[in-house]
Amino acid sequence: ENADPVPAANGTYPARVPSRNLTVDSVTVVTAPDNAERTLVDALRNATDRILVLQMTAARDGVLLRETIAAARRGVDVRVLLSAAWYAREENGRVVDALNALADRESLPLTAKLVDPEGRFRKVHAKGVVVDDTVVVGSVNWNDHSLRENREVAVVLHGDGAANYYADAFDRDWQGGERTPVPTWLAAATAIAVLVLLGVLARRIDFRD
């Protein structure tokens, strides 16, 4: 006897941070192992206001986390949110503990945490960072191997509109739990195509060495 058929997915989901059409100042495409590391390091070194990191994992000895800590030492407000998936929870927990201990010792404006394992999602597969008025979203992981050994691609969106959109999504993921019952960064990632298209039509895409 055949089981009842599973209803087909209808492609809809509730959203607290719906996709939006936003105008960006410019769009830059970067790649690893070519110029992604240099672009990200330069952005972190020039940060003056905020750095919001959402990653599956972050290497404690990696160049990007070192630059993030250096920014916090300059007074930049830093938050790091990592996955609580079972395969990453132990190592991510050590990274979070190390960052928070460092922040306590040096009184840094730096906070790190895992996504709430009892909240609306545990796994993070997004790879993104908001730095002041710039957003970087793509396939680049926060470790040196990804930057130097893998073929990765990331889109750099310049402008307050995109930065604030993703910062709001980050805030909702940071809060976790029932207060924000929708996976925001993962849902918001669907807006990337719209933003890139707008950048292509209204501005241009720069492929930089």
Side-chain angles (χ1 to χ4, degrees):
E1 182 178 348
N2 295 330
D4 292 336
V6 177
N10 62 15
T12 64
Y13 52 88
R16 285 285 185 89
V17 184
S19 299
R20 293 177 54 195
N21 292 336
L22 298 170
T23 299
V24 297
D25 296 339
S26 63
V27 179
T28 305
V29 175
V30 297
T31 62
D34 304 305
N35 60 345
E37 179 176 349
R38 182 169 67 252
T39 299
L40 282 163
V41 168
D42 286 347
L44 296 170
R45 286 180 178 174
N46 290 315
T48 60
D49 181 28
R50 63 183 176 183
I51 295 175
L52 309 175
V53 178
L54 180 66
Q55 281 282 335
M56 182 171 64
T57 61
R60 285 181 285 177
D61 58 350
V63 62
L64 297 182
L65 205 54
R66 292 201 305 269
E67 293 295 340
T68 301
I69 293 169
R73 287 173 170 148
R74 298 195 308 270
V76 178
D77 181 50
V78 174
R79 284 185 285 165
V80 178
L81 185 59
L82 302 178
S83 178
W86 65 267
Y87 49 81
R89 188 182 307 123
E90 184 175 351
E91 177 57 27
N92 283 350
R94 286 194 287 264
V95 173
V96 165
D97 290 344
L99 289 174
N100 288 329
L102 177 66
D104 289 341
R105 287 196 307 271
E106 300 186 19
S107 298
L108 300 178
L110 166 64
T111 308
K113 62 189 286 189
L114 302 182
V115 297
D116 182 359
E118 302 303 323
R120 64 193 183 282
F121 65 95
R122 297 181 183 182
K123 299 179 182 179
V124 172
H125 200 259
K127 288 100 181 196
V129 59
V130 177
V131 182
D132 295 340
D133 62 353
T134 297
V135 180
V136 183
V137 182
S139 66
V140 178
N141 294 288
W142 274 48
N143 61 67
D144 293 350
H145 184 89
S146 178
L147 292 168
R148 300 169 185 175
E149 303 295 334
N150 293 356
R151 172 56 76 198
E152 310 282 5
V153 179
V155 178
V156 185
L157 308 174
H158 305 276
D160 288 339
N164 290 334
Y165 175 85
Y166 279 97
D168 181 57
F170 179 93
D171 285 340
R172 293 169 187 268
D173 286 348
W174 182 269
Q175 292 168 9
E178 295 302 320
R179 289 169 291 179
T180 52
V182 182
T184 54
W185 266 71
L186 299 179
T190 60
I192 297 173
V194 174
L195 292 169
V196 173
L197 179 59
L198 286 171
V200 172
L201 296 177
R203 299 288 189 269
R204 62 191 178 90
I205 294 182
D206 294 327
F207 291 88
R208 299 181 181 174
D209 294 330

